[in-house]
Every structure is written in C-alpha cells, then in structure tokens.
Amino acid sequence: MRTLLTPRTFRRFLVAAGALAVIAASGNWAERHELQTKTEGLRQAAAAHVLGLRGLVERHDFLPHAAARHPDVQDLLRAPRDAALRARVDDYFADLQATTGAAALFLVDRAGLTLAASNWNLPSSFVGQSYRQRPYFEDAVQGRRGLFYGLGLTTGQSGLFIAEPVRADGAILGVVVVKISLEPLQATWMHGADPVVLRDSRGIVFLSAVPEWLFHGIRPVSAAELRWVAAHRQYGNRDRFPVLPWTIESRSATPAFVLHTSVQGRRTNLLALDTPLPELGWTLTVTTDMKEVVQARQLALMLAALAVALLLLGVLYWRLREKRFIEQRTARIELERRVEERTRDLEEAHAFRKAMEDSLLVGMRARAPDGTIIYVNPALCAMVGYSADELLGRRPPYPYWHPDDLEKQARESADALQGRAAPHGFESRIRHKDGHDVITMVYAAPLVDAQGVHRGWMSSVVDITAQKQAEARQRDQEVRLQRSARLASVGEMASTLAHELNQPLMALSNFAVAARALAAQSAPPAMLAGALDEIVEQSKRASEIVKRVRAFINPQRAQYESLTIASVVTHAAALLTPELRRDGMALRLDLDDDGARVRGDRVLLEQVLVNLIHNAMHAMQGRPRGSIGLASRRVDQGVRVSVIDEGPGIPPEQLDQIFAPFFTTRPDGLGLGLNICRTIVEAHGGAMTVDNRAGGGAAFSFTLPTVP
C-alpha cells in the first residue's frame, strides 16, 4: 500500500529542507570569511615582522663597510703587533658598538685570527680567537659580503654575522665583522599571544616564541646538511635536529594552512602562513589560533538557526496579526495622527530651545554626576576645537584639558562635581584642538529637572584669553618703558661725557706728542721725556675710555677679550698709586682667585675698580693712614671682586637706593658713578652688591662669570 504526500506535507518538507540548507550555508560562509580575515591578519603580522627583521639588518648593514675603510683598521692589519694601534681600533669598535647597539664588532686577519674587538676588555673577548671555519669569513676573504646566523664560538650566544672584506691597494687585508643579536626579537615574540617561528634554508628553527620548538626541523635534515652545520658549528655542538610534531593541513581557498601541534603539552590547532626572506635564506612563519574560526562557524550556525526560527515565528505572527488588522486599522490611524501632532509640537519646542542655546556666546556644558559630558553648545565646541560628537560621552580627563595642568584641572573638576566649586567661578587654562592655549573662566551650578531631581552640573565657560593677553602686553610694555628710561638716561649722560671729553683729550695727546718731539730735538733731560711719555699714555687712555663708553652705549662696538682678573686689578691699582700716596692711604691687595679668567672689556672693568676705589677714598677722607682692601676670590662658576673701606658705612635707609641714577651723598656728585658701574657689570653677565661690615666701613662687590 503506497502512502501519498499531501500538498501541505510536501510544502512543510520543502520548508524544512530549505531551512537546513540555509543554516549549513551560513556556517560555511562564516568559516570562509573568518579564514580570509585571519589570513589577512597573518599577512599584516608577517609584513610587520619582516619589516622589523630587514630593518634590524639594514640598520647595521653599513657598519662593516664603514669600519673597513677606517685608516687605523687597515694599518692594524698591516702591523698587527702595534699595541697602540690595536688599542685605538678596540676603542673605535667599542664606540661604534655602543652607538649603534650592535652586539659586537671585531677585526679578523686573513688567517682567521681576531686582532681587535669591541669586547676586548671582557672575559668573553673575541681577541685572539680564530673564526677561520665560519662561512662569513670564507665569503669575505674571497671578496664577497658574508652573511651568517649561528651561535657564537666564544660566547655561545646566537646572532647574525655580517662580514665585509678590508681592501687596500687592490688586495684584501682582512675582514671586519659585525654581530647583531636577535634575542630581544625572540623575547618580544615570547610575550606575544600567537607563536612566531623563523627557520633557515634547511628547515631548522633557530628563533621561536615556543622554546620547545627551537633547533627542531620541519622535515628531516639530510646527512650532507648535518655535516655542513657541524663543520661550521652553526648551532654549537648540536648534531641532531628532531622533526617538529607538526601535522599540516592545506586550505585551497587561502595560502595559509592549518597546523595541528602541541604547545606546552596542550594540543592546539593554529592557522599558519609562511613568508620567505630570500636575501637572508630564511622563512618566517606566523600563526594564530583556529579557535575563533571554529567559534565563528558555530556562532553562524546558531544565528542562522535562530533567524530561521524567528522567521517561522514571524510568519505565524503575521497570520495572526492579519486577522486583527482590519479592526485595528482605524484605531492605528487615529493614534498616528495624534502622535504626529505631539511630535510636531515637541520638535518646534526643541528647535526653539536649540536656537536659543546656539545663539549664546558663552560656552555651555552639562555633565552627569559621574563627570560624563551629556550636553555641549556650539560656543563651547568653537572654544575647544572639538565637535559635539567628540565630546559627548567623555569622562575626565577631557581631551581639551591642558597637558601641563592635568592635576589642577582634575582637582577643580572633582570640586565642581562635589558641589565645592567657587561661586564666583575659577580660572582654567585649556588646550584648543589645533594646539593653542585658551584661558577661560568657569562657573558651575546644579542641574535640576522639572521634578526637582538633581541630574548633574551645568557649567558656563567664558573665553578670557584676549583679556589675559592684553594684561600681559600691558605689563610687558611697562617693563620695556622702565628699561628704556633707564638706558636713555645712562646713554644720554655717557654720550654727553664722550662728546665733551673727546676733543680736549685728543688735543692733550697732540700737544704731548709735539713736546716729546721738541725734547728729542733739543736733547732735554731724561725725566722730561719720561714725563711726556706718561702724558701721552694717559691721554690715549682717556681717549680709549671715551671709545669704550660709546661702545657701552652701542654694544655692537664693544671689544671683549679673555683676560685675568689679577691683571685688571693690578693695572687699576697702578693707575691710582700717585693719588693714594698723595692722600696718605694704602691699598691692600688680596688676590686668591687661582688665575681666574673672564671675558670682558679691560678698560671698562678697570674703570669700575677705579670708581669704587675713588668712592672708598672719599668715604675715608679725614682719616690719617687709611687702608683700602681690594680682594678677589673664586665663587662657584665665577670670581668675586670686593673693594673694602674703613669709612662710616652706608646708612641702612640708603642701601636700597645706592645704585639708583642721580642718587648721591656728595655735594659735588652727579649720582651716576655707581649706577654706571652696576650697568657695566651687568653688561658682562655679572651682578653688583653692597654690604656694611660689622667692624665699620662698607664693602662694594661684583661677581663675573669665569671662562675656561
């Protein structure tokens, strides 16, 4: 008896088969898509690792080439027993190694013996070691560039060796070798989430993020290859390289392959991608876990099943809803009309409120109690340079906070959020998005809704940058005016003094020269010629002072030189010797400055000392057998010169104005001497002070910076 399918049953069967087909197709698509995504990620990771490897090699590639052309390197190969030459080459290699970060640099003669190395002073020094059996030496000594990776024969540490022949006069004298350590790169790989492997042309893994894979092969190593590795001791004393426990499964849709293996005793499936490095003879393998691919397929299957179930439920719901559609249609139309009217009213109210807020020139910012920005107006966005989308939802620290005031602004923000903000506002410096600073005043107030519930805090932000800049310009202008007034008064007095003294002093010089010529013609006594010589010297000195005063007014004319303080003090004392004898005063020199040298104008510095000694003599008038002290001492990075008298000292109320222009205690004084002295000292980068001594008298001192 045959059973016939009814049309209704047949339709149900078709629906079920279609649903299963859709679910299966979804799973396959999700798996392919995740594989493609993972493969692209592996390509990018491989490109980054390859770029890092090539960059590491290229960064040190020039070293052997440059070192091979150094004259000392070539000379040492010609004279290997020259100890001084070897020491220079050792220091040169050590400096190159420290500067470039290479693991080591060393020089090998044609016999393979190391003559000099950057680690010459370490127990593991390469000096005296033979590297004749190394392939890089064999290539370089034959005139080719050598490149070889292996374990060090001396240190046992792995590295990439780059060798360059040292040529001179068409002959190869020896080989310069640089060693680059790849261990930091391997350490970085070990901290990564996915294993990375680097193997040589024989399939032997020499760098790996998985330690148990090191010095294993992806295939059996042939006997000839084992003999070559052992002969050159590429990997130390190892003579066996077991095959890795890898099972490879190819995927036709992608260049990547699935790697079934174990990591730290745990079975795992990895998606792997090989990238050859032909210039180095290596192959880089990057991997990622297949777990996400499996999860993507499972998730797609579940989502597809859920979607089919929801679709079927939707169809059932639609059929039920169709029955009620007619009776609800009228009610729905009425409801939509009312909703439309209410929406229109709300939009109009919202548009009016937004127009009011957008027209404000003051920045407005609303924050939730936790500091999240929930509203900003256009004025605030323009003030900080960030759009509303960039600010809404942000919590402290905000992007416009000034990087130099982060702690201060965090404290002010916390005070505002806790209701402790100053009612009169507080000043805050912020950083505009384009990089310039903006000075603002911030006023905070509670944000309360229509039901009286506290929803956060509203801040008003006012830009006061222009006001602050105007205040700064005004302060700067006042300082400039004060300085200009001071320089103008001193310059005017100095110019007048130069103009009035220049002509009579030059006339005195001319008369003295003429008198000296007449004395020579009429053979006067020797004393007359000496006196006339002194007149000529003093008149020239007066003229030189006039020139230096003018140079002081115009610094471009100044004549600065390196001189000793002792020479300036000694010459100034010699100039005043006649006056001191005439007034019965003694000048005590106490020079203890270790020959300190300063850079300055000798004549102007001598005038400072002459003026200070004159002031000391005037303070001691009426005291028989007075004594003036002139001392120099080393202080920090300078030298301090002091003129000490035994006079009555400076009244305390006059100490603050003793250097002021036109202030004087002498009836015939102008009050410019000490002011000009201080100006000369400051022009030399120094400072001048005055102090009353405990035993009586005053001490005028100035400090000048020393030069080598």
Side-chain angles (χ1 to χ4, degrees), residues 15 18 34 116 151 237 244 293 308 324 329 335 366 486 550 587 648 674:
V15 169
E34 188 65 21
L151 300 183
N237 297 323
L244 285 167
V293 177
V308 170
R324 301 179 56 188
R329 182 175 183 179
L335 179 60
R486 178 182 173 190
R550 286 179 174 173
L587 183 62
L674 288 176

Side-chain angles (χ1 to χ4, degrees), residues 583-585 616-617 619-627 645-649 696-697:
D583 294 345
M585 297 185 183
M617 294 169 61
M620 295 168 55
Q621 285 182 354
R623 293 175 180 256
R625 310 299 298 173
S627 177
D645 62 53
E646 297 176 348

Side-chain angles (χ1 to χ4, degrees), residues 64 127 155 183 199 383 420 454 497-498 554 556 683:
V127 176
T155 63
E183 292 182 355
R199 64 181 187 269
M383 196 179 301
R420 298 197 303 263
H454 179 250
L497 178 63
N554 183 3
Q556 296 179 352

